[in-house]
Amino acid sequence: MVPGEITGIHYLAPETPISIPANFGMMKSMSNTPNLYFNRFLSNLPNFHFPPPGQEFTPQSSCLSNNSTSDEADEEHQLSIIDERKQRRMISNRESARRSRMRKQKHLDELWSQVLRLRTENHTLIDKLNRVTESHEQVLQENARLKEEAIDLRQMLTELQIGSPYTTALRDLE
């Protein structure tokens, strides 16, 4: 198909046939425009012809006819090119979707790996916290026991000093 060529004009035609006047072919000679100009203009249009007088205009019969074999071959070639492009686009879209699914799966695998690593780290930290807490409790208990022991020892020392003969001798000397 030549760029700018109109095909498929029959889709714009109304469903009901339109009668074309019998003198339609004569109209161009009645106009003020020279015949030469019309011939030059009409010869530039691909496959242009006037319908026979009195023929009805239907979607199947249009001024731009695609009845020639070269036009049908061109149309088939165009359709095959379009189908080929659609096929390539469909394959490309499938590959793109496959790559997207693979990226998504890789991302999910990385996230699961991270979840497992963080869970392991969390359990390790919880175990360490439990050990430190237990150790802290033991240190607090030992500290309380040592304080009580220190109080008891001070009490005993005080009692010993009061009842000791050295203490009474020291008081007598004073």
Side-chain angles (χ1 to χ4, degrees):
M1 181 164 82
V2 178
E5 179 180 350
I6 300 173
T7 60
I9 193 77
H10 59 277
Y11 291 111
L12 299 176
E15 293 293 324
T16 58
I18 299 172
S19 296
I20 297 177
N23 63 350
F24 182 73
M26 311 267 271
M27 285 186 179
K28 72 175 183 178
S29 62
M30 289 194 281
S31 69
N32 294 335
T33 311
N35 208 5
L36 177 64
Y37 178 77
F38 263 120
N39 289 339
R40 204 171 10 153
F41 172 73
L42 295 176
S43 66
N44 287 335
L45 293 176
N47 302 321
F48 182 82
H49 70 278
F50 284 112
Q55 180 182 354
E56 291 184 338
F57 183 81
T58 62
Q60 288 76 27
S61 68
S62 66
C63 291
L64 299 176
S65 174
N66 286 334
N67 290 340
S68 72
T69 56
S70 66
D71 285 345
E72 289 174 3
D74 284 348
E75 188 174 331
E76 279 185 30
H77 180 67
Q78 286 289 16
L79 289 176
S80 70
I81 289 174
I82 290 170
D83 286 343
E84 184 179 327
R85 286 180 185 162
K86 284 181 182 179
Q87 191 72 17
R88 277 188 297 200
R89 193 177 322 116
M90 188 170 60
I91 290 170
S92 174
N93 288 345
R94 283 182 182 161
E95 281 297 311
S96 177
R98 185 185 64 78
R99 287 190 305 269
S100 178
R101 285 190 303 273
M102 288 177 65
R103 278 193 308 270
K104 183 179 179 181
Q105 186 62 47
K106 181 181 176 187
H107 184 66
L108 282 174
D109 292 345
E110 289 172 358
L111 288 175
W112 272 113
S113 173
Q114 186 177 9
V115 164
L116 294 175
R117 183 182 54 80
L118 290 173
R119 282 182 180 169
T120 303
E121 185 179 344
N122 190 27
H123 287 300
T124 303
L125 290 173
I126 287 172
D127 290 344
K128 188 175 182 179
L129 179 64
N130 287 338
R131 283 193 307 273
V132 168
T133 302
E134 187 179 309
S135 177
H136 180 259
E137 290 294 324
Q138 289 174 354
V139 168
L140 287 177
Q141 288 174 0
E142 187 176 347
N143 193 20
R145 187 185 56 79
L146 289 173
K147 283 181 181 180
E148 286 180 22
E149 190 176 325
I151 291 171
D152 289 343
L153 288 174
R154 280 192 197 113
Q155 182 73 29
M156 286 175 54
L157 185 61
T158 308
E159 289 175 2
L160 284 175
Q161 287 176 349
I162 296 176
S164 148
Y166 296 111
T167 310
T168 51
L170 284 173
R171 282 189 205 152
D172 291 338
L173 287 173
E174 292 178 0

